[in-house]
Every structure is written in C-alpha cells, then in structure tokens.
Amino acid sequence: MTTKQHKKEKAGRLIYRYIMMLIGASLAAVSIELFLVPNSVIDGGIIGISLILVYLTKLPFSLLIIIFNLPFLYSGYKQIGRNFCFSSMFAVVALSIVESQLHHVPAVTSEPLLATVFGGLLLGAGVGTVIRHGGALDGTEILGILLTKKIPFSVGEFVMFLNIFIFAWAGFVLGWEQAMYSILTYYIASKTIDAIIQGLDETKAAFIVSNHYEELSDAITHRLGRGVTKLYGKGGFEGTEKEVIYVVVTRLEITKLKTIISEIDPHAFTTIMDTQEAQGGKFKSAIH
C-alpha cells in the first residue's frame, strides 16, 4: 500500500461512527421539533432556512432539510471525499426521519428563553457529535468552501454574512423578538459544537525557558506526573543557546505548575496557551 492510499476503515470503527452520528442527528431532531419549532425559534445555516420555509410554506422540515443539503453534499463528494458525503447523507436522512417521528410529541417548554437555551445546547451537541465523527448536518460551510475560491471572503466570513441575512429574514417572518432568540440559539449551539469537536477536557501547553531546566524537568515529571519535551532554542539578543521545556497539563494543574516553577526558578520565562485537545503518548487527564 502506498502512502497516498487510505487504509480501509475497520468494520467496528465504522459501525461506531454511524451509531454516534445517529445519536447526534437524533439530538438535533429533538431540539428542532420539541424546543425550537414550537417556540418559533430558528438556527442559522441550512437548518435556519429550512425552518423559516416551514413557517412560510407549511412544507415538512424533514423534506426541506434533505432538498437543501443535496447539492452541497454532492459538491462535498467531489471536493472533500466519498466518506464525508456518505456520512453526511446518512446523518441528514437520520435527522429527517427522527424529526418526522416527533410531530405528535408535545413540546418540552413554551417558554422562549428556556427553549432557546436548551434547544441550542441540544442542537449544538447533536451537530457537534455528527461533525466529530466525520459527517455534517448543514451544507453551509461546504458552500462557503466552494464560493471562497471565487469571492474575496473566508469561509467564516461567508457563513457570518449568510447568517446575518437569515436572521434578518427571520425578523420579518417571525418577528424581531424571535429573531433575537434565534441569534442566541445560534450562539449557544456554536459554542457547544466547539466544545464537542475540540473535546471537553481543556488542556494547556506551557513553554518554559530557564537556566534550571534539568531541575524543573525532574520536578514536573515527579511532582506533577507529566512528561516533558526539551526543545533547543537560541536567544535573539545574546545569541546564547538554551533548552526550552514544553509540557501539556490540564487546567486544574496550572496552579501547581506555576508553584513548581516559582519555587525552582522565579525568573523563568513561561508562556501558557490553550490547546484544543491532547491525545496519544502517555497523556492522561489525571489530577495529582
């Protein structure tokens, strides 16, 4: 097998991915049918457009979401790959089927604010789960990828402009108060999607420049239980060579790391930054 060829996905892993996408699509369907639609609240993107058209045309959401996503999924097949297209189609069809089966289930709440918050959380969790496992429920970003090759905007800017149009349209159709609730739903959902995709365990990466790097490395390893990586650097002003310690810790271990550094070398230069996710090696989210 050459390096350009992809290994065939194992059956167990494939089944697991599709089960998780089914769960994600089901969460999104529950959010839409039991929280958002009964309270005239929408989301952004293709889901938002479909929900507005539900109010205008009375056509079923389960049909509209498939119709609007089909051209983007076809483009995704050509631009991103077959697996992505099939996974996304499965997720969209699952969303459509589950949503259609919830029509006769009563709404969970008639309070718009509660529907906005919990509907946004459920929708974000569902969409994020699908994305994390290789699919998509909304073709907006695929459209953005295709169009940004021809227009002077990034994908993020395109999605933002599209959503401004969608929420303005919602203001005229549903009322401006409902449009504001919809913007809040979109914000909550997007933050939840980020949390699901990036992982719930927040980790921090620290770079430490110190003349006591051996003692610091030993202390971090034995007192904090974290492996360290030594990088070689050169000072830009004096040109002296120094070892730089790189270590990844959980957010709960940051205080202890700072304590170790201040005890051994109060003058050490330390930079701490956010990381999206830590995997592999011997990294575990243990608290010492």
Side-chain angles (χ1 to χ4, degrees):
M1 179 178 289
T2 66
T3 56
K4 293 183 179 180
Q5 292 177 317
H6 294 288
K7 291 183 179 179
K8 188 175 181 180
E9 192 172 14
K10 293 182 179 179
R13 173 63 184 170
L14 185 66
I15 293 170
Y16 170 76
R17 279 206 310 111
Y18 275 80
I19 289 174
M20 293 306 296
M21 285 191 289
L22 176 60
I23 292 172
S26 300
L27 288 174
V30 168
S31 168
I32 291 167
E33 190 61 31
L34 303 188
F35 288 88
L36 303 186
V37 170
N39 291 278
S40 299
V41 177
I42 68 166
D43 184 38
I46 300 300
I47 291 176
I49 294 173
S50 300
L51 288 173
I52 293 176
L53 289 176
V54 167
Y55 295 107
L56 291 175
T57 66
K58 304 304 179 183
L59 289 172
F61 173 83
S62 56
L63 175 64
L64 292 170
I65 195 69
I66 292 179
I67 291 174
F68 283 117
N69 269 306
L70 271 177
F72 305 129
L73 293 178
Y74 174 74
S75 299
Y77 178 87
K78 301 177 71 174
Q79 297 289 327
I80 303 175
R82 183 178 62 182
N83 287 341
F84 170 80
C85 179
F86 288 163
S87 297
S88 299
M89 179 56 71
F90 170 82
V92 171
V93 171
L95 169 64
S96 174
I97 293 173
V98 175
E99 189 274 341
S100 66
Q101 299 303 309
L102 295 173
H103 287 327
H104 303 295
V105 179
V108 173
T109 178
S110 59
E111 171 57 49
L113 184 58
L114 289 176
T116 295
V117 174
F118 288 96
L121 287 171
L122 274 176
L123 183 61
V127 174
T129 300
V130 171
I131 294 174
R132 188 179 176 98
H133 293 88
L137 284 175
D138 195 307
T140 307
E141 291 199 5
I142 301 173
L143 177 62
I145 291 170
L146 298 176
L147 290 183
T148 48
K149 296 178 180 179
K150 301 178 181 179
I151 59 177
F153 299 110
S154 68
V155 175
E157 289 171 336
F158 170 79
V159 172
M160 180 185 70
F161 291 143
L162 179 62
N163 283 326
I164 289 174
F165 166 77
I166 292 170
F167 291 127
W169 187 21
F172 287 106
V173 175
L174 306 173
W176 295 106
E177 187 173 285
Q178 300 310 116
M180 288 187 282
Y181 279 127
S182 299
I183 292 171
L184 182 57
T185 297
Y186 174 75
Y187 178 80
I188 293 171
S190 64
K191 292 300 179 183
T192 307
I193 290 170
D194 289 341
I196 296 295
I197 295 174
Q198 296 171 5
L200 298 176
D201 292 330
E202 292 187 28
T203 55
K204 305 284 185 178
F207 288 93
I208 308 162
V209 182
S210 170
N211 292 325
H212 303 276
Y213 53 83
E214 290 290 354
E215 192 176 352
L216 271 172
S217 297
D218 185 69
I220 293 171
T221 300
H222 292 94
R223 292 173 57 184
L224 201 56
R226 293 297 180 197
V228 302
T229 300
K230 294 180 182 178
L231 309 174
Y232 293 93
K234 178 182 281 190
F237 181 70
E238 297 179 348
T240 55
E241 294 186 354
K242 291 188 176 182
E243 289 194 16
V244 180
I245 299 171
Y246 173 75
V247 61
V248 176
V249 298
T250 67
R251 62 179 178 174
L252 298 178
E253 295 168 328
I254 286 293
T255 301
K256 190 166 185 178
L257 175 64
K258 290 180 178 178
T259 301
I260 292 171
I261 295 171
S262 64
E263 287 176 359
I264 296 174
D265 185 3
H267 303 292
F269 178 77
T270 305
T271 302
I272 298 174
M273 62 196 74
D274 292 328
T275 60
Q276 292 185 348
E277 192 171 357
Q279 290 185 350
K282 297 182 179 179
F283 187 88
K284 294 181 180 180
S285 299
I287 302 173
H288 304 278

